Amino acid sequence: MNATSPLISDRAPDDVFAWRAQGAVTVRDFLGDAHALAAQLPAGDWLLNMCEDRYHFAVGFAAGLIAGKVSLQPSSQSPETLQRLAADHPGVCWLGDRPDTVPGVPGTVFPDLATLPRPADAGMPQIDDERVVAILFTSGSTGLPQPHRKTWGKLVRNGRAESRALGLLDRPVAIVGTVPTQHSYGFESTFLVALHGGSSFAAGKPFYPQDIVAALQAVPRPRMLVTTPFHLSALLASGLAVPPLDLILSATAPLSPELARRAEAYCGAPVHEIYGSTESSALASRRTIEGAAWQLMQAVRLEHEGDTTYANGGHVEGRVPLADVIESRADGSFLLHGRHADLINIAGKRTSLAYLNHQIGAVPGVVDAAFFLPDEAGHDGVTRLCAFVVAPTLDARTLMAALRQRLDAIFLPRPLVLLDALPRNATGKLPRTALQALHAEKVGPHGHG
């Protein structure tokens, strides 16, 4: 008989599990909501959980577990992605906050929980650790979204490992997240750490700075903001007074040391980053201002074979090849040297886009930046790097002078394009397609800005 783990670990029935507009939600109330919704779900093996409200997502996920369903969680919610996903999972039904969530596919609008009958005893579900309970999908920014199956036991260990790495097991926090729960980062860092790390979460998904401030004000300390460099930069630029924070967590895009320092000074809280992927789950963390080295989470191991690094152990599902060039160090930490796909060779000299982005992001005054290497050569047959930069207090001449101190001349951007903002998506990523469109608009086909 397989081992089982509870839906929620180490919590008393009257402990606060979530925060809604109506106030605190206890573990007892959450379990009642989950059991009540489970009785309303239609038959079928798959539940496409599209709820944007974080509490609705959580209740839907738990209800799916109780009803024996697998949660499908696409990072991309484009109509093409959703239609393909429905075709690949016969009998799927969606759960969402709006009637038209997935046109042409059967679904359920999240109900008014107050109208649902409650079971007499909404006990704590025990779930088989070997059971596949969720399928997460890559963002599709470099191709079609790819599915990755997650077993319950590994998800439990995931929530515990991240909570331990961030010190949350000793000091649980109220979490405000700006990232969607369907995305692996949001799923792990706002939901799993609540299920199995003792923390609680706010139901909303604030986007604009004023909404982030309001969401933080609505929950008690200690507070953690789970966000991206994009949202963090906008929050700092707003000039709004931020309620006292105790921890800021960032992922999905590289966080520059400059932005981390500014955020720590502005918000009075340490800024940490999470490293991982949909395939591997979160693997490591670091406090950005303390240096480039990453610390692995408990029981996770890295193995090197040729140019490829594999992650396994702990909460990792199997042995997962990583997309990044990784240098392991004797003390157990590691350094990232960019993604294999980001390695570039110009005139026999090699570097990575990650390294270039790190260097430009470290220039004082740079808020956000991204290097881009187009597929096409310029009019003279030479492919030239371009850089898109958000730096309100700098001009191009000053910025180029700073880059000459940091980069080999051959890697200097030609051109350097100053912008008000970069076209990051909801999770803070910069898909290559967005950079290609930006290059076509701002630079043109012959490499001239």
Side-chain angles (χ1 to χ4, degrees), residues 213-231:
V213 168
L216 290 169
Q217 289 172 334
V219 299
R221 293 188 71 180
R223 304 181 182 104
M224 177 171 76
L225 177 63
V226 175
T227 191
T228 70
F230 170 77
H231 294 97

mmCIF file with all atom_site columns, all heavy atoms in Angstrom, residues 213-231:
data_model
loop_
_atom_site.group_PDB
_atom_site.id
_atom_site.type_symbol
_atom_site.label_atom_id
_atom_site.label_alt_id
_atom_site.label_comp_id
_atom_site.label_asym_id
_atom_site.label_entity_id
_atom_site.label_seq_id
_atom_site.pdbx_PDB_ins_code
_atom_site.Cartn_x
_atom_site.Cartn_y
_atom_site.Cartn_z
_atom_site.occupancy
_atom_site.B_iso_or_equiv
_atom_site.pdbx_formal_charge
_atom_site.auth_seq_id
_atom_site.auth_comp_id
_atom_site.auth_asym_id
_atom_site.auth_atom_id
_atom_site.pdbx_PDB_model_num
ATOM 1   N N   . VAL A 1 213 ? -0.194 47.439 -3.229  1.00 0.00 ? 213 VAL A N   1
ATOM 2   C CA  . VAL A 1 213 ? -0.170 48.097 -1.922  1.00 0.00 ? 213 VAL A CA  1
ATOM 3   C C   . VAL A 1 213 ? -1.441 47.768 -1.139  1.00 0.00 ? 213 VAL A C   1
ATOM 4   O O   . VAL A 1 213 ? -1.389 47.426 0.050   1.00 0.00 ? 213 VAL A O   1
ATOM 5   C CB  . VAL A 1 213 ? -0.008 49.622 -2.081  1.00 0.00 ? 213 VAL A CB  1
ATOM 6   C CG1 . VAL A 1 213 ? -0.263 50.336 -0.767  1.00 0.00 ? 213 VAL A CG1 1
ATOM 7   C CG2 . VAL A 1 213 ? 1.394  49.947 -2.598  1.00 0.00 ? 213 VAL A CG2 1
ATOM 8   N N   . ALA A 1 214 ? -2.591 47.837 -1.813  1.00 0.00 ? 214 ALA A N   1
ATOM 9   C CA  . ALA A 1 214 ? -3.865 47.544 -1.138  1.00 0.00 ? 214 ALA A CA  1
ATOM 10  C C   . ALA A 1 214 ? -3.916 46.101 -0.663  1.00 0.00 ? 214 ALA A C   1
ATOM 11  O O   . ALA A 1 214 ? -4.411 45.804 0.431   1.00 0.00 ? 214 ALA A O   1
ATOM 12  C CB  . ALA A 1 214 ? -5.035 47.845 -2.075  1.00 0.00 ? 214 ALA A CB  1
ATOM 13  N N   . ALA A 1 215 ? -3.414 45.181 -1.474  1.00 0.00 ? 215 ALA A N   1
ATOM 14  C CA  . ALA A 1 215 ? -3.423 43.770 -1.096  1.00 0.00 ? 215 ALA A CA  1
ATOM 15  C C   . ALA A 1 215 ? -2.528 43.520 0.112   1.00 0.00 ? 215 ALA A C   1
ATOM 16  O O   . ALA A 1 215 ? -2.866 42.729 1.007   1.00 0.00 ? 215 ALA A O   1
ATOM 17  C CB  . ALA A 1 215 ? -2.974 42.910 -2.274  1.00 0.00 ? 215 ALA A CB  1
ATOM 18  N N   . LEU A 1 216 ? -1.382 44.187 0.151   1.00 0.00 ? 216 LEU A N   1
ATOM 19  C CA  . LEU A 1 216 ? -0.484 44.041 1.296   1.00 0.00 ? 216 LEU A CA  1
ATOM 20  C C   . LEU A 1 216 ? -1.110 44.615 2.566   1.00 0.00 ? 216 LEU A C   1
ATOM 21  O O   . LEU A 1 216 ? -0.979 44.053 3.657   1.00 0.00 ? 216 LEU A O   1
ATOM 22  C CB  . LEU A 1 216 ? 0.857  44.722 1.006   1.00 0.00 ? 216 LEU A CB  1
ATOM 23  C CG  . LEU A 1 216 ? 1.738  44.047 -0.043  1.00 0.00 ? 216 LEU A CG  1
ATOM 24  C CD1 . LEU A 1 216 ? 2.901  44.954 -0.439  1.00 0.00 ? 216 LEU A CD1 1
ATOM 25  C CD2 . LEU A 1 216 ? 2.270  42.712 0.468   1.00 0.00 ? 216 LEU A CD2 1
ATOM 26  N N   . GLN A 1 217 ? -1.798 45.730 2.424   1.00 0.00 ? 217 GLN A N   1
ATOM 27  C CA  . GLN A 1 217 ? -2.440 46.356 3.580   1.00 0.00 ? 217 GLN A CA  1
ATOM 28  C C   . GLN A 1 217 ? -3.529 45.458 4.175   1.00 0.00 ? 217 GLN A C   1
ATOM 29  O O   . GLN A 1 217 ? -3.837 45.561 5.369   1.00 0.00 ? 217 GLN A O   1
ATOM 30  C CB  . GLN A 1 217 ? -3.042 47.704 3.182   1.00 0.00 ? 217 GLN A CB  1
ATOM 31  C CG  . GLN A 1 217 ? -2.008 48.781 2.904   1.00 0.00 ? 217 GLN A CG  1
ATOM 32  C CD  . GLN A 1 217 ? -2.623 50.042 2.321   1.00 0.00 ? 217 GLN A CD  1
ATOM 33  O OE1 . GLN A 1 217 ? -3.678 50.000 1.691   1.00 0.00 ? 217 GLN A OE1 1
ATOM 34  N NE2 . GLN A 1 217 ? -1.957 51.178 2.521   1.00 0.00 ? 217 GLN A NE2 1
ATOM 35  N N   . ALA A 1 218 ? -4.099 44.585 3.342   1.00 0.00 ? 218 ALA A N   1
ATOM 36  C CA  . ALA A 1 218 ? -5.247 43.775 3.767   1.00 0.00 ? 218 ALA A CA  1
ATOM 37  C C   . ALA A 1 218 ? -4.850 42.511 4.522   1.00 0.00 ? 218 ALA A C   1
ATOM 38  O O   . ALA A 1 218 ? -5.732 41.798 5.002   1.00 0.00 ? 218 ALA A O   1
ATOM 39  C CB  . ALA A 1 218 ? -6.097 43.411 2.553   1.00 0.00 ? 218 ALA A CB  1
ATOM 40  N N   . VAL A 1 219 ? -3.547 42.217 4.611   1.00 0.00 ? 219 VAL A N   1
ATOM 41  C CA  . VAL A 1 219 ? -3.111 41.020 5.337   1.00 0.00 ? 219 VAL A CA  1
ATOM 42  C C   . VAL A 1 219 ? -2.146 41.434 6.453   1.00 0.00 ? 219 VAL A C   1
ATOM 43  O O   . VAL A 1 219 ? -1.487 42.467 6.366   1.00 0.00 ? 219 VAL A O   1
ATOM 44  C CB  . VAL A 1 219 ? -2.430 39.992 4.404   1.00 0.00 ? 219 VAL A CB  1
ATOM 45  C CG1 . VAL A 1 219 ? -3.406 39.520 3.330   1.00 0.00 ? 219 VAL A CG1 1
ATOM 46  C CG2 . VAL A 1 219 ? -1.170 40.572 3.757   1.00 0.00 ? 219 VAL A CG2 1
ATOM 47  N N   . PRO A 1 220 ? -2.062 40.629 7.501   1.00 0.00 ? 220 PRO A N   1
ATOM 48  C CA  . PRO A 1 220 ? -1.207 40.995 8.628   1.00 0.00 ? 220 PRO A CA  1
ATOM 49  C C   . PRO A 1 220 ? 0.250  40.621 8.386   1.00 0.00 ? 220 PRO A C   1
ATOM 50  O O   . PRO A 1 220 ? 0.569  39.846 7.486   1.00 0.00 ? 220 PRO A O   1
ATOM 51  C CB  . PRO A 1 220 ? -1.788 40.172 9.781   1.00 0.00 ? 220 PRO A CB  1
ATOM 52  C CG  . PRO A 1 220 ? -2.305 38.930 9.103   1.00 0.00 ? 220 PRO A CG  1
ATOM 53  C CD  . PRO A 1 220 ? -2.836 39.398 7.771   1.00 0.00 ? 220 PRO A CD  1
ATOM 54  N N   . ARG A 1 221 ? 1.124  41.194 9.191   1.00 0.00 ? 221 ARG A N   1
ATOM 55  C CA  . ARG A 1 221 ? 2.525  40.787 9.195   1.00 0.00 ? 221 ARG A CA  1
ATOM 56  C C   . ARG A 1 221 ? 2.669  39.490 9.983   1.00 0.00 ? 221 ARG A C   1
ATOM 57  O O   . ARG A 1 221 ? 1.855  39.207 10.862  1.00 0.00 ? 221 ARG A O   1
ATOM 58  C CB  . ARG A 1 221 ? 3.396  41.885 9.820   1.00 0.00 ? 221 ARG A CB  1
ATOM 59  C CG  . ARG A 1 221 ? 3.444  43.157 8.994   1.00 0.00 ? 221 ARG A CG  1
ATOM 60  C CD  . ARG A 1 221 ? 4.467  44.131 9.557   1.00 0.00 ? 221 ARG A CD  1
ATOM 61  N NE  . ARG A 1 221 ? 5.836  43.657 9.331   1.00 0.00 ? 221 ARG A NE  1
ATOM 62  C CZ  . ARG A 1 221 ? 6.926  44.329 9.718   1.00 0.00 ? 221 ARG A CZ  1
ATOM 63  N NH1 . ARG A 1 221 ? 6.792  45.483 10.367  1.00 0.00 ? 221 ARG A NH1 1
ATOM 64  N NH2 . ARG A 1 221 ? 8.117  43.858 9.478   1.00 0.00 ? 221 ARG A NH2 1
ATOM 65  N N   . PRO A 1 222 ? 3.761  38.758 9.679   1.00 0.00 ? 222 PRO A N   1
ATOM 66  C CA  . PRO A 1 222 ? 4.758  39.000 8.634   1.00 0.00 ? 222 PRO A CA  1
ATOM 67  C C   . PRO A 1 222 ? 4.172  38.767 7.238   1.00 0.00 ? 222 PRO A C   1
ATOM 68  O O   . PRO A 1 222 ? 3.353  37.876 7.043   1.00 0.00 ? 222 PRO A O   1
ATOM 69  C CB  . PRO A 1 222 ? 5.865  37.989 8.956   1.00 0.00 ? 222 PRO A CB  1
ATOM 70  C CG  . PRO A 1 222 ? 5.191  36.904 9.720   1.00 0.00 ? 222 PRO A CG  1
ATOM 71  C CD  . PRO A 1 222 ? 4.084  37.563 10.495  1.00 0.00 ? 222 PRO A CD  1
ATOM 72  N N   . ARG A 1 223 ? 4.627  39.595 6.289   1.00 0.00 ? 223 ARG A N   1
ATOM 73  C CA  . ARG A 1 223 ? 4.112  39.556 4.922   1.00 0.00 ? 223 ARG A CA  1
ATOM 74  C C   . ARG A 1 223 ? 5.228  39.205 3.941   1.00 0.00 ? 223 ARG A C   1
ATOM 75  O O   . ARG A 1 223 ? 6.351  39.671 4.085   1.00 0.00 ? 223 ARG A O   1
ATOM 76  C CB  . ARG A 1 223 ? 3.549  40.914 4.509   1.00 0.00 ? 223 ARG A CB  1
ATOM 77  C CG  . ARG A 1 223 ? 2.476  41.507 5.396   1.00 0.00 ? 223 ARG A CG  1
ATOM 78  C CD  . ARG A 1 223 ? 2.024  42.836 4.812   1.00 0.00 ? 223 ARG A CD  1
ATOM 79  N NE  . ARG A 1 223 ? 1.023  43.510 5.612   1.00 0.00 ? 223 ARG A NE  1
ATOM 80  C CZ  . ARG A 1 223 ? 1.260  44.556 6.387   1.00 0.00 ? 223 ARG A CZ  1
ATOM 81  N NH1 . ARG A 1 223 ? 2.499  45.053 6.458   1.00 0.00 ? 223 ARG A NH1 1
ATOM 82  N NH2 . ARG A 1 223 ? 0.295  45.123 7.071   1.00 0.00 ? 223 ARG A NH2 1
ATOM 83  N N   . MET A 1 224 ? 4.877  38.433 2.908   1.00 0.00 ? 224 MET A N   1
ATOM 84  C CA  . MET A 1 224 ? 5.808  38.147 1.813   1.00 0.00 ? 224 MET A CA  1
ATOM 85  C C   . MET A 1 224 ? 5.140  38.521 0.490   1.00 0.00 ? 224 MET A C   1
ATOM 86  O O   . MET A 1 224 ? 4.001  38.141 0.234   1.00 0.00 ? 224 MET A O   1
ATOM 87  C CB  . MET A 1 224 ? 6.205  36.659 1.794   1.00 0.00 ? 224 MET A CB  1
ATOM 88  C CG  . MET A 1 224 ? 7.120  36.307 0.615   1.00 0.00 ? 224 MET A CG  1
ATOM 89  S SD  . MET A 1 224 ? 7.814  34.622 0.687   1.00 0.00 ? 224 MET A SD  1
ATOM 90  C CE  . MET A 1 224 ? 6.398  33.636 0.194   1.00 0.00 ? 224 MET A CE  1
ATOM 91  N N   . LEU A 1 225 ? 5.864  39.240 -0.337  1.00 0.00 ? 225 LEU A N   1
ATOM 92  C CA  . LEU A 1 225 ? 5.410  39.570 -1.685  1.00 0.00 ? 225 LEU A CA  1
ATOM 93  C C   . LEU A 1 225 ? 6.094  38.629 -2.659  1.00 0.00 ? 225 LEU A C   1
ATOM 94  O O   . LEU A 1 225 ? 7.321  38.597 -2.743  1.00 0.00 ? 225 LEU A O   1
ATOM 95  C CB  . LEU A 1 225 ? 5.743  41.022 -2.022  1.00 0.00 ? 225 LEU A CB  1
ATOM 96  C CG  . LEU A 1 225 ? 5.378  41.487 -3.435  1.00 0.00 ? 225 LEU A CG  1
ATOM 97  C CD1 . LEU A 1 225 ? 3.872  41.421 -3.662  1.00 0.00 ? 225 LEU A CD1 1
ATOM 98  C CD2 . LEU A 1 225 ? 5.897  42.907 -3.687  1.00 0.00 ? 225 LEU A CD2 1
ATOM 99  N N   . VAL A 1 226 ? 5.297  37.845 -3.385  1.00 0.00 ? 226 VAL A N   1
ATOM 100 C CA  . VAL A 1 226 ? 5.811  36.924 -4.404  1.00 0.00 ? 226 VAL A CA  1
ATOM 101 C C   . VAL A 1 226 ? 5.562  37.582 -5.751  1.00 0.00 ? 226 VAL A C   1
ATOM 102 O O   . VAL A 1 226 ? 4.411  37.770 -6.157  1.00 0.00 ? 226 VAL A O   1
ATOM 103 C CB  . VAL A 1 226 ? 5.110  35.556 -4.314  1.00 0.00 ? 226 VAL A CB  1
ATOM 104 C CG1 . VAL A 1 226 ? 5.568  34.642 -5.447  1.00 0.00 ? 226 VAL A CG1 1
ATOM 105 C CG2 . VAL A 1 226 ? 5.395  34.904 -2.960  1.00 0.00 ? 226 VAL A CG2 1
ATOM 106 N N   . THR A 1 227 ? 6.639  37.930 -6.454  1.00 0.00 ? 227 THR A N   1
ATOM 107 C CA  . THR A 1 227 ? 6.480  38.805 -7.599  1.00 0.00 ? 227 THR A CA  1
ATOM 108 C C   . THR A 1 227 ? 7.548  38.548 -8.654  1.00 0.00 ? 227 THR A C   1
ATOM 109 O O   . THR A 1 227 ? 8.256  37.529 -8.610  1.00 0.00 ? 227 THR A O   1
ATOM 110 C CB  . THR A 1 227 ? 6.479  40.278 -7.107  1.00 0.00 ? 227 THR A CB  1
ATOM 111 O OG1 . THR A 1 227 ? 6.085  41.135 -8.167  1.00 0.00 ? 227 THR A OG1 1
ATOM 112 C CG2 . THR A 1 227 ? 7.842  40.684 -6.557  1.00 0.00 ? 227 THR A CG2 1
ATOM 113 N N   . THR A 1 228 ? 7.668  39.472 -9.585  1.00 0.00 ? 228 THR A N   1
ATOM 114 C CA  . THR A 1 228 ? 8.649  39.383 -10.672 1.00 0.00 ? 228 THR A CA  1
ATOM 115 C C   . THR A 1 228 ? 9.416  40.705 -10.742 1.00 0.00 ? 228 THR A C   1
ATOM 116 O O   . THR A 1 228 ? 8.963  41.723 -10.201 1.00 0.00 ? 228 THR A O   1
ATOM 117 C CB  . THR A 1 228 ? 7.952  39.152 -12.026 1.00 0.00 ? 228 THR A CB  1
ATOM 118 O OG1 . THR A 1 228 ? 7.255  40.353 -12.406 1.00 0.00 ? 228 THR A OG1 1
ATOM 119 C CG2 . THR A 1 228 ? 6.961  37.995 -11.951 1.00 0.00 ? 228 THR A CG2 1
ATOM 120 N N   . PRO A 1 229 ? 10.559 40.729 -11.424 1.00 0.00 ? 229 PRO A N   1
ATOM 121 C CA  . PRO A 1 229 ? 11.260 42.000 -11.594 1.00 0.00 ? 229 PRO A CA  1
ATOM 122 C C   . PRO A 1 229 ? 10.396 43.071 -12.242 1.00 0.00 ? 229 PRO A C   1
ATOM 123 O O   . PRO A 1 229 ? 10.490 44.256 -11.901 1.00 0.00 ? 229 PRO A O   1
ATOM 124 C CB  . PRO A 1 229 ? 12.457 41.624 -12.479 1.00 0.00 ? 229 PRO A CB  1
ATOM 125 C CG  . PRO A 1 229 ? 12.707 40.186 -12.164 1.00 0.00 ? 229 PRO A CG  1
ATOM 126 C CD  . PRO A 1 229 ? 11.344 39.590 -11.959 1.00 0.00 ? 229 PRO A CD  1
ATOM 127 N N   . PHE A 1 230 ? 9.538  42.668 -13.160 1.00 0.00 ? 230 PHE A N   1
ATOM 128 C CA  . PHE A 1 230 ? 8.650  43.616 -13.842 1.00 0.00 ? 230 PHE A CA  1
ATOM 129 C C   . PHE A 1 230 ? 7.722  44.311 -12.842 1.00 0.00 ? 230 PHE A C   1
ATOM 130 O O   . PHE A 1 230 ? 7.621  45.549 -12.808 1.00 0.00 ? 230 PHE A O   1
ATOM 131 C CB  . PHE A 1 230 ? 7.829  42.877 -14.904 1.00 0.00 ? 230 PHE A CB  1
ATOM 132 C CG  . PHE A 1 230 ? 6.714  43.687 -15.500 1.00 0.00 ? 230 PHE A CG  1
ATOM 133 C CD1 . PHE A 1 230 ? 6.979  44.653 -16.452 1.00 0.00 ? 230 PHE A CD1 1
ATOM 134 C CD2 . PHE A 1 230 ? 5.401  43.486 -15.113 1.00 0.00 ? 230 PHE A CD2 1
ATOM 135 C CE1 . PHE A 1 230 ? 5.954  45.408 -17.011 1.00 0.00 ? 230 PHE A CE1 1
ATOM 136 C CE2 . PHE A 1 230 ? 4.368  44.228 -15.652 1.00 0.00 ? 230 PHE A CE2 1
ATOM 137 C CZ  . PHE A 1 230 ? 4.650  45.186 -16.611 1.00 0.00 ? 230 PHE A CZ  1
ATOM 138 N N   . HIS A 1 231 ? 7.020  43.525 -12.023 1.00 0.00 ? 231 HIS A N   1
ATOM 139 C CA  . HIS A 1 231 ? 6.106  44.104 -11.045 1.00 0.00 ? 231 HIS A CA  1
ATOM 140 C C   . HIS A 1 231 ? 6.859  44.891 -9.969  1.00 0.00 ? 231 HIS A C   1
ATOM 141 O O   . HIS A 1 231 ? 6.394  45.947 -9.518  1.00 0.00 ? 231 HIS A O   1
ATOM 142 C CB  . HIS A 1 231 ? 5.274  43.006 -10.382 1.00 0.00 ? 231 HIS A CB  1
ATOM 143 C CG  . HIS A 1 231 ? 4.338  42.306 -11.299 1.00 0.00 ? 231 HIS A CG  1
ATOM 144 N ND1 . HIS A 1 231 ? 4.646  41.104 -11.904 1.00 0.00 ? 231 HIS A ND1 1
ATOM 145 C CD2 . HIS A 1 231 ? 3.082  42.625 -11.721 1.00 0.00 ? 231 HIS A CD2 1
ATOM 146 C CE1 . HIS A 1 231 ? 3.627  40.728 -12.652 1.00 0.00 ? 231 HIS A CE1 1
ATOM 147 N NE2 . HIS A 1 231 ? 2.667  41.623 -12.557 1.00 0.00 ? 231 HIS A NE2 1
#
